[in-house]
Amino acid sequence: MGALPARIGRRARIASAVLAAGLAALVALSGAPAGASPASAAARAAASYRALQTYFAASDGSGLYHEQYPVQAGDNVYSYEWPYSQVRGATLDLTGMPGALGARYRADLAARDAGQQRYWLGSGGTTGVPGYASYPVAPYGGGGDFFYDDNEWVGLFDVQRYLDSGDRQALGRARQIFDLVVSGWDTDASHADPGGVFWTQASWSTDRNTVSNMPGAELGLRLYQITGQRSYLDWSRRMYDWTNAHLLGPDGLYYDHLDLAGTVEQTYWSYNQGVPVGVDVLFYQVTHDRSYLARARRTAAAAYDYYVGQGHLATQPPYFNAIFFKNLLLLESVTGGHAYRDALRAYADRVWVTDRDAATGLFHFDENGATQAIQQAAMVQIYAVLAWSPQRYRLLY
């Protein structure tokens, strides 16, 4: 470990000074007591991120992260791409906090960008289109199968980055990722309910999922908003229509996936409800057809009743809930109101009290006492977004 603890100590002291100044500014602006949101959310985001860096960041100069803490015998050296992408997303969300609070994370975001490249395979996967492999590529690892949803999350973060800062490199990568997603469309008419984007290129799965189609549609709609290129809108509509035709349940919530025999896996996951809300919001924005906005409201209300009203939220992984709520905040950026923001704040407050180890700053959701990098990153995202000005919610997914 060498000098790592000393480096962490110096960074923590600097962070504390900057954070204190930033919190004072927030309190002055809001007129709120020091313990109130968004100031307390910013402090919680910073503390959760420090724990993420302390316990998960690899100390070998790779810029990569471990999958879990404590590291177990037999664990891979580094995390898979899906957790890493959420660590990068957490750092991106931190940069969106007001003023000096967000500015201090820009260098960290550049480091996360470099780490993200460790997963990029320019030669492509089974479709020949480049994208992010599920594990770092040489010399850091042997790569792995391409998962379309893993790539879509990276693309959506890249769009968020572009919309916030005008970073054209991020936009270019988002466009490459969308090309990959299109290459995953099922073109075999002999399949039950043909069409849809497959979940992965791995031979052991031929499922077509809500999570591989709706985030693809969301990414395409964002790219259409930015570029005006009609193919993005057309492909987004195909993904959207296919999912609504085959994976939308009678109660207005979305099932998980459909196999090639036409069997639907009917589990409800929170992120599978949130992303369709965001897709309908974006369809409304690009078409001005209010039926899309009405549909977004209906899906959000049904999901809110199921997860918040009926108490199912705590059964969902925090990284699913982060995606769920971000899309509901995107809806509120159009409709106004704060019911979904209030529900997110209540969830974040409960987790802070019941699932966090104050000694380490780590969140424990699993019975074995371990913490997954993706869980810690999700909570950083949640607290960081709660510290944002609501005007920024239009940038989300």
Side-chain angles (χ1 to χ4, degrees):
M1 297 292 287
L4 183 62
R7 290 201 301 273
I8 292 171
R10 287 198 299 273
R11 292 181 67 180
R13 288 192 296 274
I14 295 170
S16 296
V18 175
L19 182 62
L23 291 181
L26 276 173
V27 171
L29 286 171
S30 66
S37 292
S40 62
R44 289 175 175 182
S48 302
Y49 179 72
R50 286 196 298 272
L52 178 67
Q53 293 299 95
T54 300
Y55 294 101
F56 292 95
S59 59
D60 58 3
S62 65
L64 298 173
Y65 285 70
H66 302 300
E67 188 88 7
Q68 64 177 342
Y69 181 84
V71 174
Q72 303 293 318
D75 282 0
N76 290 325
V77 178
Y78 305 118
S79 78
Y80 286 104
E81 198 284 326
W82 159 228
Y84 186 88
S85 72
Q86 299 308 299
V87 171
R88 178 174 176 253
T91 313
L92 175 62
D93 288 344
L94 287 166
T95 66
M97 296 193 302
L101 292 172
R104 67 168 296 266
Y105 294 103
R106 290 173 187 162
D108 289 41
L109 181 56
R112 297 302 94 74
D113 291 344
Q116 186 72 72
Q117 288 305 106
R118 313 295 192 218
Y119 297 85
W120 183 256
L121 188 61
S123 60
T126 62
T127 64
V129 180
Y132 291 103
S134 61
Y135 195 71
V137 301
Y140 300 97
D145 297 309
F146 283 23
F147 286 76
Y148 293 105
D149 59 330
D150 289 5
N151 278 269
E152 288 160 352
W153 304 128
V154 180
L156 288 165
F157 285 133
D158 283 336
V159 166
Q160 179 181 322
R161 178 88 166 269
Y162 172 78
L163 292 174
D164 189 35
S165 67
D167 186 327
R168 298 201 65 82
Q169 185 173 353
L171 176 61
R173 180 51 52 88
R175 298 182 74 160
Q176 287 181 290
I177 290 171
F178 191 77
D179 290 342
L180 171 69
V181 174
V182 169
S183 79
W185 185 262
D186 175 25
T187 59
D188 190 337
S190 69
H191 292 161
D193 304 314
V197 177
F198 287 106
W199 180 42
T200 175
Q201 295 180 359
S203 60
W204 45 262
S205 174
T206 52
D207 297 333
R208 293 153 293 165
N209 293 49
T210 296
V211 77
S212 52
N213 284 275
M214 281 299 195
E218 195 162 27
L219 176 58
L221 287 165
R222 282 300 195 187
L223 291 172
Y224 177 69
Q225 284 181 318
I226 294 166
T227 69
Q229 185 175 319
R230 180 72 190 207
S231 63
Y232 290 129
L233 178 61
D234 292 342
W235 269 111
S236 295
R237 199 180 303 280
R238 291 182 75 181
M239 297 172 194
Y240 173 82
D241 288 345
W242 184 90
T243 310
N244 284 334
H246 303 296
L247 290 171
L248 178 59
D251 53 1
L253 299 179
Y254 287 81
Y255 299 134
D256 187 63
H257 68 262
L258 173 75
D259 66 20
L260 293 185
T263 303
V264 175
E265 208 294 302
Q266 296 188 359
T267 302
Y268 289 147
W269 297 110
S270 58
Y271 70 162
N272 281 339
Q273 319 314 320
V275 177
V277 172
V279 170
D280 274 312
V281 170
L282 296 181
F283 266 122
Y284 164 69
Q285 289 180 331
V286 301
T287 67
H288 308 293
D289 182 341
R290 296 193 68 85
S291 68
Y292 288 111
L293 187 59
R295 188 166 196 163
R297 288 178 182 269
R298 288 197 302 271
T299 304
Y304 180 89
D305 177 68
Y306 182 79
Y307 289 107
V308 179
Q310 299 178 39
H312 294 293
L313 194 63
T315 70
Q316 301 293 291
Y319 40 94
F320 287 5
N321 289 339
I323 293 167
F324 171 66
F325 277 113
K326 284 181 176 183
N327 281 278
L328 296 188
L329 295 180
L330 174 61
L331 174 60
E332 286 189 334
S333 76
V334 174
T335 62
H338 51 81
Y340 300 134
R341 185 167 78 249
D342 291 346
L344 175 58
R345 183 177 295 114
Y347 171 74
D349 288 345
R350 182 189 62 76
V351 169
W352 185 266
V353 172
T354 64
D355 298 303
R356 179 178 179 270
D357 180 351
T360 63
L362 296 177
F363 296 92
H364 298 294
F365 298 95
D366 301 330
E367 292 182 359
N368 64 6
T371 302
Q372 305 297 313
I374 195 171
Q375 296 169 333
Q376 191 74 19
M379 295 312 302
V380 175
Q381 291 179 32
I382 286 170
Y383 294 121
V385 167
L386 282 171
W388 285 15
S389 164
Q391 285 72 35
R392 287 185 55 86
Y393 292 160
R394 61 183 177 79
L395 304 178
L396 291 170
Y397 286 25

